[in-house]
Amino acid sequence: MPRATSERFSRVHQPAAKSSKTPATVQLTGANRAKHSSSRGEENSDTKGIGNVNPLFNTERFGQHILKNPLLAQAIVDKANLKPTDSVLEVGPGTGNLTVRILEKVKHVTAVEMDPRMAAELVKRVQGTPEQRKLDITIGDFVKAELPYFDVCISNTPYQISSPLVFRLLSHRPLPRVAILMFQREFALRLTATPGTEFWSRLSANVQLYAKVDHIMKVARNNFRPAPNVESSVVRITPLSPPPPVRFEEFDGLTRILFTRRNKTCRANFGASGVEKMMRDNWTQWKKGQNASSGVELEESIDAKAAIEEILQETGFSDARAAKMSVDDLLKLLYAFHAKGFHFA
C-alpha cells in the first residue's frame, strides 16, 4: 500500500523559545513529567467551555473535537475487547478521556498527538498514578510518525486524517488485531457500505479488500467540545490476516477508473478519455519487462480498445456498474486484465 500522506498535517511543532527541546517521544519519568506538566486539568476543559469554543485549546485548528461524555468514552474502550497483555496505539488522544480508560486495561499505550499543549495536559493527568509508566507520547504528525508494535488502535480521529489513518493501519506490519475508530458519520457509512447502496464507493471497496468493517455506534455532536458540524460514528476495522495477495496500487488503479462514474457501465468507464492510452502504455511497459526477464519475443503492439472489450465481454462485466460490483467482482476483473498483460500501476 502507498504511504498515507496529509497536506494539512505537515507542521512540525517546536517548543517555545524559553523551553528546553521537547523530545519526539515523551517517557513519563521524573524530568519529563515535570517538563510537560500543565497548570490546568481536563476537568476545566470540560466545564469552562462556552458553545463551540474550547477555552484551553484551539482544537479546530487540527480538526480535533474533545470527547467529553465519560459513558461514551468507556463504551468505545469496551468495544475493543482489550487484553492485559495488549499494546495500544491511540491517535489524537487530546486531553486523555479515552487514554486513561485504556491504560487501566492494557500493558502499554503509545499516544500520537499533534498539539504539544494537549500532550502536556495528558502527561499531567496521569502524573503520579500507577499508569504513568505505561504511557509514551509521540508529539507530531501521525502520518509521518514512526509507529511501534501495537495490537489494537483506538482513535477519536482528527477528521482531516481519516483516510490516511485507515490505509496506514492496513499497511502496517505486523497487522493490528483490531481498530476502533471514530469518524464523521458519512465517512463511516462509506467504509461500511455494501454494493448497490448509496455510499458504496472506491473507498468502500479498497478498505473492504483488506478488512472487515462494522458500524458499532452512532455519536451525537453534543458529546464533543467544541461540537462538530456533523454527526459521528464509531467503526470496528478487523484486518484480514493474512491479507489477500493483491497489490493495493493495482486494485486502486482499477477502482479509480470504475468509480470515477460509478453508475456508468464498465465499458463506458474504460472508454473514457485517456484510459485506453494509459492501458496501452501500461501493457507496453509490462511487455518490455517480460522481454528483459525471459527473452521471449512478444507482440510489438496491441489494439488496447479491442483487448479491453474482449476482457469485459469474457468476464460478463461489460454492462456492469461499479455501484453494484462487489469486491469479488472487482478482483475477478482485475485478474482477467492481468492475464492479458494489462496492469493499473
Side-chain angles (χ1 to χ4, degrees):
M1 286 187 186
R3 184 174 62 183
T5 58
S6 173
E7 293 181 358
R8 293 196 62 178
F9 275 69
S10 59
R11 171 171 175 167
V12 177
H13 290 282
Q14 299 295 337
K18 295 183 181 180
S19 302
S20 58
K21 186 176 180 180
T22 302
T25 302
V26 181
Q27 301 287 341
L28 300 188
T29 57
N32 281 330
R33 290 200 301 270
K35 187 184 299 182
H36 290 277
S37 291
S38 174
S39 61
R40 289 178 287 187
E42 184 185 45
E43 291 78 13
N44 289 339
S45 72
D46 282 348
T47 57
K48 292 185 179 181
I50 300 176
N52 288 338
V53 178
N54 189 303
L56 293 183
F57 311 109
N58 181 16
T59 53
E60 289 185 308
R61 174 185 177 191
F62 300 119
Q64 286 181 293
H65 299 272
I66 304 301
L67 183 64
K68 66 179 184 179
N69 184 331
L71 295 178
L72 181 59
Q74 188 61 55
I76 291 172
V77 173
D78 290 344
K79 292 294 184 181
N81 295 320
L82 297 172
K83 303 175 183 178
T85 56
D86 280 341
S87 293
V88 174
L89 173 70
E90 186 184 6
V91 181
T95 51
N97 274 345
L98 288 172
T99 316
V100 294
R101 291 168 173 83
I102 299 169
L103 285 167
E104 293 173 353
K105 294 177 174 287
V106 302
K107 180 180 179 181
H108 184 265
V109 175
T110 298
V112 182
E113 174 54 58
M114 190 72 175
D115 191 337
R117 300 165 302 168
M118 292 278 196
E121 287 293 308
L122 177 54
V123 171
K124 177 178 169 146
R125 190 167 184 183
V126 300
Q127 188 174 0
T129 69
E131 285 76 27
Q132 64 181 356
R133 295 183 181 276
K134 296 181 181 180
L135 177 64
D136 288 339
I137 302 176
T138 298
I139 302 174
D141 186 347
F142 165 77
V143 299
K144 297 179 180 178
E146 182 176 347
L147 301 182
Y149 170 86
F150 58 95
D151 302 289
V152 177
C153 178
I154 299 176
S155 175
N156 174 19
T157 312
Y159 291 154
Q160 289 91 333
I161 64 166
S162 295
S163 185
L165 169 65
V166 170
F167 287 106
R168 183 155 194 207
L169 292 178
L170 292 178
S171 63
H172 185 74
R173 296 294 182 270
L175 284 165
R177 184 173 73 246
V178 69
I180 305 296
L181 310 173
M182 179 108 67
F183 294 119
Q184 284 186 8
R185 177 74 50 77
E186 182 174 336
F187 186 86
L189 292 176
R190 286 161 62 84
L191 286 177
T192 59
T194 56
T197 61
E198 176 185 1
F199 290 101
W200 179 248
S201 63
R202 177 182 164 204
L203 173 69
S204 316
N206 284 355
V207 173
Q208 291 178 34
L209 172 65
Y210 294 100
K212 182 178 184 294
V213 190
D214 299 297
H215 185 285
I216 56 179
M217 71 174 74
K218 296 179 180 179
V219 182
R221 67 187 74 181
N222 60 5
N223 288 292
F224 301 92
R225 174 167 289 124
N229 294 325
V230 295
E231 303 295 323
S232 300
S233 287
V234 178
V235 303
R236 179 193 295 112
I237 297 180
T238 307
L240 300 180
S241 185
V246 181
R247 283 186 63 203
F248 174 79
E249 294 83 357
E250 285 288 327
F251 190 80
D252 181 60
L254 174 63
T255 57
R256 182 183 292 112
I257 292 172
L258 296 181
F259 281 97
T260 298
R261 300 178 298 172
R262 74 185 199 112
N263 289 310
K264 295 291 186 179
T265 65
C266 289
R267 182 196 296 111
N269 280 319
F270 275 98
S273 176
V275 173
E276 180 186 330
K277 180 180 184 302
M278 180 201 72
M279 297 291 287
R280 184 172 56 252
D281 291 345
N282 286 354
W283 183 90
T284 301
Q285 287 299 113
W286 169 81
K287 182 194 68 170
K288 289 180 179 178
Q290 291 291 99
N291 282 340
S293 61
S294 66
V296 176
E297 288 296 327
L298 301 178
E299 303 173 61
E300 290 301 321
S301 62
I302 189 172
D303 184 344
K305 182 177 180 180
I308 291 170
E309 180 62 30
E310 181 181 354
I311 293 169
L312 293 176
Q313 290 291 344
E314 288 178 351
T315 57
F317 292 125
S318 184
D319 293 322
R321 290 165 168 78
K324 296 183 178 181
M325 293 177 71
S326 68
V327 170
D328 287 343
D329 291 336
L330 295 167
L331 283 174
K332 180 180 177 182
L333 186 57
L334 179 66
Y335 292 148
F337 274 106
H338 284 178
K340 298 291 187 178
F342 287 100
H343 294 265
F344 296 88

